[in-house]
Amino acid sequence: MGRDYLGELEQQILLAALRLRDDAYTVSIIRELEARTGRSPSHGAVYVALRRLEDKGMIRTRLGEATGERGGRPPRLVELTPAGIDSLRETRQALERLWSGVPEVAE
Amino acid sequence: MTGRRGGAPPQVPRLLAALLRRALPARHLDSVLGDLAEDAGRRPAWRRPLWLLLQTFTLLYWNHRALRSRRTLPASRTPMLSNLLFELRSALRSLRRSPGFAVAVVLTVAVGIASTTGVFAIVEGVLLTPLPFPEPERLVAVWTESSASKGLYEDLLARVESVEGLAAWSAGSRVLNDPDEGPRLLIGPEVTASFFTTLGVRARHGRLLTPDDSLPGAEPVVVLGHGLFERLGGDPLLLGSTLPLDETPWRVVGVLEPGADVLQADAAIVTPLSLDPAASGYRTGFYLNLVGRLRPETTAAEAAAELRSIASSLEGYSFSERLLAQPLVMPLHERLFGDRRPLLTLLLAAVAMVMAIGCVNVGSLTLARQLARKQELAVRTALGGGRGRGLVFLVSESLILVAAGWALGLLGAAWLLASLRAAAPVELPRSSEIGLNPSAIGLSVGLLAVAMLAAGVLPGWRATRLDPAQALRPGRGASAGRRAGRIGESLVVAETALAVVLAAAAGLLAHSMWELVSLDPGFETERRLLLQVVPPAQGNDRPFDVDDYYEAILSGLEALPSVERAGTVHTAPVRGGGWVMSTEVEGVEYGERSEQPLSYWRVISPSYFEALGARLRDGRSFGEVDVAGSTPVAIVNATLAAERWPGEDPLGRRLRIGFDSADWLTVVGVVEDIRMLGPATSTPPTVYRPLAQGATALERVGVTTQSLVLLTRDEPMAAVQAVREAMRELAPGAPLLAPAPLRSVVRDSIAEPRVLLQVVGLFGSAALLLAVLGIGGVVGNLVRQRRRELGIRQALGALPAQLSRHCLVHGCRLGAIGIGLGMGAAILLAPRLGAFLHATSPRDPLSLGLVALVLALCVLLASWIPARRATRIAPSEALRGD
């Protein structure tokens, strides 16, 4: 598990989910990524990444409250597992170790 | 969950939801659909369908990739989609083996999509796009049977309540005396101050017009269009300076916004409409257009009713009581573009038929191909492949082809529109606004879906309904094959019928065109040059003598070696328009003046008929004796003579036109009808007056522009340079407008029916070609399917000729049914074409009969070619198993 570094989109999705706390689901994550990174992943990409993260045990999902705006369909709310948080941390540390060897370009 | 908007959530369309249901696990489906619905709600409504489509496809794509990368077998609900890619790949491979089929389908779909989308974009741009003004739906045009006079405008303005900001405008133009480039005509309406506020047009620099600018004695001011402003240097310092228009300095007070629409095409300037009750023609000059805004909650019909009651209470309009009885109120958009509606609708109907025929053809092509693969399909079914999987196998090919045709068609439509904008063959209003817009692309997507259904899914569905046990039995085709054959046959009958309808329309239009071309215009067109002279308006202190002015020009031009004869008329033939006058005939009692018959009124130089090559039927032409003081004389055309004095000699009779003169006019000649309103319109009764006598009436209303008709020695255009140089001396400061050979003026006047004929003819031929291919295909299939049967017959002694006749009869029967149905439909629909036909009955038996004959020959040929193959079947080969 520890060797399994996260892909870029996976990292971004996990971080967005952390920022969104209790309101993390596909649409809010896409919006968060749009606002923070300027890129707008498709529903397909996010859906598949979430499924993969769930399979890897990095997130847990549960159904939220259905609203009229969603045509009465509940959102699948995302919550990071301790393994997910560990994995994020490991990925960040690995990246930082790599960056530390790189001079000026960094800033 | 914050920051969400209210309102009904957009639903994911059922088709897309069904696709997702097949691909995604049930436990995820609901939340994914909810996500899509919620996110779609953030987007503008018009983008939603495409966005949802795109997101659905990316979802399916990512899901498919994820499944494959996990190397698991597809779950039981997923085969259709996860295997689509596999099927598409294998379809591409198999298409590479039959390029002819692929090219035929792609081109058919592309032609259909390109023409339909292109024509729809035109229709949309012209008819459906609202005018570029705020709240355009409230804008209405108000007019009577003719236009309004200034007096009538002010009377209506003072009383009307259902229409706000009633404004008047009149198409106009003024001569700019440019010291560098010589005199130049600037087009631009004269308007009341309320015109701008009513339309919602704003100034870029300076101000627009105010009511004071329209008062008698006000300083002449002009508002420049943005284009002219740029050409003059684009310097705002231009405001306040003066522009020499019509030899008078006009003060520039403002500049319009770029792209501001002031209702007159190519407008460069806007000048105030003077409203002086003391001026002549205040009550009697009916040439103003009125535009206003309906008060909120008011309909055009209510406004019309109010105006009618106002009109009936007005006094002082005895002359035009009849015209005033029917004030009309119509949405401005309708008034400006409504006359284009039938033409565009007709074109749209024609292309829709081509598209339908294309779909039918592609459908029957693919059906034949799919049936040919029925054994392969049967093996798949026998091995447990479900019907859905079989369908995917069959349709993937046509889906690829149709999608390619769609893409090509969109490109074609874009190209078509670009070339149309560059050179509009028919004068279309707002042609610059035509382009591939979202709704045209949306339509093409809809057509794509229809084409896919027609070309792939429906025939495929049909073909999968066969029993593997039957299909796999060697030899005889299954009964399903025959059933599918019947579908193919009905498709061919349908497309033949559609082709007949289009060809019948083309035939009728061709007949009508022939009538138009062979019409006698009443004058000669060879070696005739037509042009217009616009003398700059003179100040009020300098009276302008129209007669002397043109007398000098005519004798000056006739002195040129390249000009044989020169004449003037105040409204050119064919180019149309003109002044309608109520005409009193001596010896007839009229109760009211409004009962007097109307006739067209033309003021001409004595040389006019000769220069034009018109034929005098009776009496004499105008001459030296017809001067201002002598007996007032008139020449009437043959129509007027026949209407007023049937069977009698019109010479010496007298008539009176109040507008022209209080005296009786003696008829001295009868001229053959000259088509004045274009060849498609029959010539109305017309009274001609000599320039020396009629000029005073023209001068009274300030009309100084005349058209010149020159009989040249050689090619008319070769004389233009000499004429231009001479005119610089003869009429300084007067621009010459639109010099053109009379021949091309006449030809241009029927440009629209010609283009219509070309377009419908093109569509008709395309439809005919497709139908012929369809019939050929069906007969070919018949021969292929019955090879064994034909082979056996031949082995038993049937003669080749009998066999081919058997197939021929089959094709011809289909063709005959199609032609019969098509003729029935054509006869039912033809009256709708009536407006476009000249001297041709919409049920003209000659045209329809010819079309039926041509179609029948085509059907015969289309069946004969494949039927011949039936005779070349070697029995030994045919009887060998497949």
Side-chain angles (χ1 to χ4, degrees), chain A residues 7-76:
Chain A
E8 192 191 354
L9 182 65
E10 288 176 331
Q11 278 183 64
Q12 293 188 353
I13 287 176
L14 287 179
L15 288 168
L18 276 179
R19 302 177 66 93
L20 289 161
R21 293 162 196 275
D22 294 340
D23 192 25
Y25 65 106
T26 308
V27 178
S28 66
I29 288 172
I30 291 176
R31 268 188 244 179
E32 184 73 12
L33 292 181
E34 269 172 11
R36 302 277 161 199
T37 70
R39 70 187 254 196
S40 169
S42 72
H43 278 245
V46 173
Y47 166 75
V48 167
L50 284 175
R51 248 181 103 174
R52 200 162 48 231
L53 288 168
E54 191 173 18
D55 285 351
K56 291 192 209 165
M58 299 197 182
I59 57 169
R60 268 193 301 267
T61 64
R62 67 190 162 83
L63 291 183
E65 197 184 319
T67 63
E69 189 187 19
R70 299 175 51 86
R73 300 182 191 275
R76 183 165 288 272

Side-chain angles (χ1 to χ4, degrees), chain A residues 22-23 25-28 30-31 34 40-45 47-48 51-52 54-55 61 63-65 67-77, chain B residues 1-5 7 9-11 23-25 27-39 42-43 51 55 58-59 62-63 66-67 70:
Chain A
D22 294 340
D23 192 25
Y25 65 106
T26 308
V27 178
S28 66
I30 291 176
R31 268 188 244 179
E34 269 172 11
S40 169
S42 72
H43 278 245
Y47 166 75
V48 167
R51 248 181 103 174
R52 200 162 48 231
E54 191 173 18
D55 285 351
T61 64
L63 291 183
E65 197 184 319
T67 63
E69 189 187 19
R70 299 175 51 86
R73 300 182 191 275
R76 183 165 288 272
L77 295 175
Chain B
M1 310 196 180
T2 51
R4 303 211 187 123
R5 268 179 273 157
Q11 283 291 332
L24 302 182
R27 66 199 160 87
H28 286 165
L29 183 69
D30 239 22
S31 55
V32 167
L33 289 178
D35 287 335
L36 289 176
E38 180 188 345
D39 212 355
R42 293 200 290 159
R43 287 153 217 284
W51 184 85
Q55 293 296 336
T58 49
L59 258 164
W62 281 103
N63 189 54
L67 282 178
R70 278 200 270 169

Side-chain angles (χ1 to χ4, degrees), chain B residues 342-416:
Chain B
L343 173 70
L344 293 175
T345 318
L346 179 72
L347 284 182
L348 203 56
V351 289
M353 280 190 212
V354 173
M355 183 73 207
I357 294 173
C359 282
V360 167
N361 229 25
V362 170
S364 50
L365 273 176
T366 41
L367 184 66
R369 190 171 161 82
Q370 285 169 358
L371 284 175
R373 297 167 75 182
K374 66 179 184 242
Q375 289 223 339
E376 188 181 349
L377 185 70
V379 172
R380 281 169 165 243
T381 315
L383 291 177
R387 193 174 175 191
R389 182 79 192 255
L391 187 62
V392 172
F393 160 70
L394 284 177
V395 302
S396 47
E397 246 184 40
S398 31
L399 295 196
I400 291 177
L401 295 179
V402 170
W406 171 74
L408 198 64
L410 266 193
L411 282 179
W415 173 81
L416 202 78

Side-chain angles (χ1 to χ4, degrees), chain B residues 91-110 362 365-366 369 397-406 408:
Chain B
L92 274 179
R93 268 198 305 276
S94 95
L95 283 177
R96 219 170 293 150
R97 287 196 299 269
S98 44
F101 168 75
V103 169
V105 172
V106 169
L107 280 186
T108 309
V109 174
V362 170
L365 273 176
T366 41
R369 190 171 161 82
E397 246 184 40
S398 31
L399 295 196
I400 291 177
L401 295 179
V402 170
W406 171 74
L408 198 64

Side-chain angles (χ1 to χ4, degrees), chain B residues 302-363:
Chain B
E302 286 163 6
E306 192 206 353
L307 285 164
R308 208 164 303 148
S309 75
I310 295 174
S312 61
S313 69
L314 288 178
E315 286 176 6
Y317 290 100
S318 57
F319 164 68
S320 41
E321 265 162 16
R322 184 174 34 177
L323 304 182
L324 275 175
Q326 295 291 333
L328 299 167
V329 178
M330 187 187 263
L332 183 60
H333 186 275
E334 184 87 20
R335 175 72 172 150
L336 294 177
F337 309 122
D339 59 338
R340 283 284 176 266
R341 188 179 300 266
L343 173 70
L344 293 175
T345 318
L346 179 72
L347 284 182
L348 203 56
V351 289
M353 280 190 212
V354 173
M355 183 73 207
I357 294 173
C359 282
V360 167
N361 229 25
V362 170

Side-chain angles (χ1 to χ4, degrees), chain B residues 756-793:
Chain B
L756 182 65
L757 170 63
Q758 284 166 351
V759 172
V760 174
L762 191 72
F763 290 162
S765 335
L768 188 62
L769 185 69
L770 290 177
V772 162
L773 289 176
I775 289 180
V778 163
V779 176
N781 276 344
L782 180 82
V783 173
R784 237 189 324 278
Q785 276 171 16
R786 300 227 191 137
R787 271 175 58 170
R788 280 174 70 89
E789 184 190 332
L790 294 171
I792 294 171
R793 284 184 184 215

